[in-house]
């Protein structure tokens, strides 16, 4: 009888422990016969007055009766109890009054004999109240399980995004299931493990190897070692396409108790994540190239040397050009760089090279040399304002970074989702020798070097932003994230040091021309 009740719970059917109902003071139930019922589970509550209700039972019920047609003789009562036990009833509830003043002693003896818990319902407890309490407890228990599953799945997803993803996922799996979790290869080599190592570790390894070799590793296996006090489970991690998948890795778990519904759900999620993290598609993705490029860069290679390793070897992006993207959240609130956010941004921008730092982001997007960046339609939906540079080679990325930053400033000031940097080569710049233009710029802004705080660089950036926004104090203040009076004060200082009237359109045009040729800008270099 114990086995049948437990089986219902292990099969994942909604159930409640009888101990919960016995502890409910509003019901007033007491156990008067049979084995201890506290840990026994019931999946439903049924009421019947049939002499033989067994054809209508499915197992796992708390069967309620007032004994209207209960046999009068001990033999008949024994037959009744034997039939409901054979049908898998978890417990029998007997309501006293008005038919019977008390639980019949012969019924109590038969329940003791056949191992069936017998509960006494007081006269004031309606049968319906027992059913309502049971179903409420089942619903609350199910909600608790769903909350546990949700928390565990969130933790697993976050772990999968960490640099040490495999170890982190195994650690979260062990923490949320209480089971020693280990990753094996086909030879039984223990690759990674988390949790408390059990004495039956060798048994788990043997089960994993056997499972991987059986049917190409397409099935799961479970085992119970009662002498070791441990429950062993193995899940294989398939590799390949559907229909041809084979398994070369296995996830093993060893726990002191059988897995619950929550544990099975959490393990299923972890198995999928581990299969993805260990698949060739993931292992040989551009992340591998990124790691190699980072190693070379840290060992002395230049960005131009390592950039080709980060883009496809064929197609339109094989030219080795990049678009730099700057982004900011308009409200200034920090963004949570969780896996879902990063995945959405990477998909939106068309690149895995995305970095979030508080309310700001930067990205590198591979592109063709003559491509104009396409602004995603869903930028505003994700809560970002973006600035795009023009396509640049790896050597020119610092200039592209400056372009993206200024494009972002214009987008924020204008209240638009995105701005793309543009440079028309058919301008006055094409008529001036670059060396002469650079000397003009250096000479024109040299007086700013004598400026005190906040310094020449801040004054130049304020002037550039103000000119970009057509002399608007408020929009310049918004783009620079300072007060409008601060902008006025800085520009007054610029006008004084450069001895120029900023209200003169000609003076503003001259300054704008010179700004384009300051060191670090070089947007109009001739081919």
């Amino acid at each position: 009888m114990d086995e049948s009740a437990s089986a219902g719970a292990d099969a994942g059917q909604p159930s409640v422990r009888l101990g919960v109902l016995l502890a409910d003071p509003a019901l007033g139930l007491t156990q008067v016969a049979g084995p201890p019922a506290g840990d026994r589970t019931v999946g439903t509550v049924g009421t019947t007055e049939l002499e033989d209700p067994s054809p209508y039972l499915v197992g796992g019920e708390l069967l309620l009766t007032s004994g209207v047609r209960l046999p009068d003789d001990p033999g008949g009562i024994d037959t009744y109890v034997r039939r409901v036990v054979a049908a898998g009833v978890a417990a029998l509830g007997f309501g006293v009054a008005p038919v019977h003043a008390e639980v019949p002693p012969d019924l109590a003896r038969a329940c003791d004999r056949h191992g069936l818990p017998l509960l006494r319902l007081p006269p004031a407890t309606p049968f319906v109240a027992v059913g309502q309490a049971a179903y409420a407890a089942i619903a609350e228990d199910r909600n608790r399980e769903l909350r546990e599953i949700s928390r565990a799945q969130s933790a697993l997803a976050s772990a999968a995004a960490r640099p040490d993803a495999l170890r982190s996922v195994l650690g979260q799996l062990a923490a949320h299931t209480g089971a020693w979790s280990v990753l094996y290869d086909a030879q039984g080599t223990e690759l990674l493990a988390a949790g408390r190592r059990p004495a039956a570790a060798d048994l788990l390894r043997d089960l994993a190897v056997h499972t991987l070799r059986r049917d190409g590793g397409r099935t799961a296996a479970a085992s119970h070692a009662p002498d070791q006090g441990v429950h062993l489970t193995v899940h294989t991690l398939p590799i390949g396409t559907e229909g041809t998948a084979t398994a070369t890795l296995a996830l093993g778990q060893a726990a002191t108790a059988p897995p619950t519904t929550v544990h099975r759900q959490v393990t299923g999620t972890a198995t999928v994540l581990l299969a993805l993290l260990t698949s060739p598609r993931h292992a040989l993705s551009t992340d591998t190239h990124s790691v190699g490029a980072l190693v070379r860069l840290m060992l002395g290679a230049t960005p131009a040397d390592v950039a080709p390793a980060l883009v496809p070897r064929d197609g339109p992006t094989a030219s080795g050009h990049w678009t730099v993207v700057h982004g900011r959240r308009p409200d200034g609130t920090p963004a949570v760089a969780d896996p879902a956010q990063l995945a959405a941004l990477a998909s939106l921008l068309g690149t895995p090279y995305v970095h979030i730092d508080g309310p700001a982001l930067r990205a590198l997007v591979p592109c063709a040399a003559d491509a104009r960046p396409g602004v995603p339609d869903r930028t505003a939906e994700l809560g970002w304002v973006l600035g795009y540079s023009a396509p640049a080679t790896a050597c020119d990325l610092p200039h592209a970074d400056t372009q993206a930053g200024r494009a972002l400033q214009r987008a924020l000031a204008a209240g638009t989702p995105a701005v793309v940097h543009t440079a028309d080569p058919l301008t006055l710049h094409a008529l001036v020798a670059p060396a002469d233009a650079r000397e003009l710029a250096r000479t024109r802004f040299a007086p700013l070097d004598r400026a005190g705080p906040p310094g020449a660089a801040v004054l130049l950036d304020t002037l550039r932003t103000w000119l970009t926004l057509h002399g608007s104090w408020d929009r310049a203040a918004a783009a620079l994230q300072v007060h409008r009076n601060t902008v006025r004060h800085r520009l007054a200082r610029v006008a004084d040091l450069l001895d120029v009237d900023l209200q003169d359109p000609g003076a503003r045009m001259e300054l704008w021309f010179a700004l384009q040729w300051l060191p670090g800008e070089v947007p109009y270099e001739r081919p």
Side-chain angles (χ1 to χ4, degrees), residues 292-304:
L294 177 60
V295 171
R296 293 170 58 193
L297 193 64
M298 295 184 70
L299 294 178
T302 66

Side-chain angles (χ1 to χ4, degrees), residues 57-203:
L57 302 175
V58 296
E61 298 94 342
L62 169 57
L63 190 63
L64 305 181
T65 180
S66 60
V68 173
R69 304 187 67 178
L70 187 71
D72 296 329
D73 59 297
I77 291 177
D78 186 270
T79 300
Y80 176 90
V81 172
R82 180 163 40 82
R83 285 173 174 170
V84 297
V85 168
V89 166
L92 183 66
F94 194 91
V96 297
V99 180
H100 294 269
E102 194 50 69
V103 177
D106 288 332
L107 180 60
R109 284 190 287 269
C111 288
D112 282 332
R113 190 161 46 248
H114 294 284
L116 179 66
L118 177 61
L119 311 185
R120 179 186 183 275
L121 278 67
T125 300
F127 286 4
V128 172
V130 178
Q132 290 176 337
Y135 300 137
I138 290 173
E140 174 56 31
D141 191 63
R142 182 56 178 163
N143 288 335
R144 178 191 57 78
E145 290 180 349
L146 292 175
R147 290 192 295 269
E148 290 182 18
I149 292 170
S150 178
R151 285 194 295 267
Q153 289 177 337
S154 296
L156 287 169
S158 298
R162 290 174 54 89
D164 55 340
L166 288 175
R167 190 179 301 276
S168 297
V169 169
L170 282 177
Q172 289 296 330
L173 178 61
H176 285 277
T177 61
W180 183 59
S181 303
V182 56
L183 201 61
Y184 293 109
D185 64 12
Q187 288 71 45
T189 304
E190 185 179 308
L191 304 177
L192 292 169
R196 186 175 179 179
R197 187 184 187 89
D202 290 342
L203 294 178

Side-chain angles (χ1 to χ4, degrees), residues 270-364:
T271 301
V272 172
L273 288 174
L274 291 170
L276 291 173
L277 291 170
T278 55
S279 67
R281 181 176 181 180
H282 180 276
L284 299 178
S285 68
T286 53
D287 277 348
T288 301
H289 299 302
S290 301
V291 171
L294 177 60
V295 171
R296 293 170 58 193
L297 193 64
M298 295 184 70
L299 294 178
T302 66
D305 291 331
V306 303
L310 302 178
V311 297
R313 301 183 185 279
D314 51 15
T317 61
S319 63
H321 282 69
W322 301 82
T323 297
V324 179
V325 183
H326 281 212
R328 181 168 290 275
R329 298 175 71 85
D331 56 6
T333 57
V336 179
D338 59 46
Q341 173 75 280
L342 287 173
L345 285 171
S347 177
L348 186 74
L349 298 174
T351 177
Y353 309 116
V354 180
H355 172 64
I356 294 179
D357 184 11
L361 74 82
R362 287 187 178 185
L364 281 174

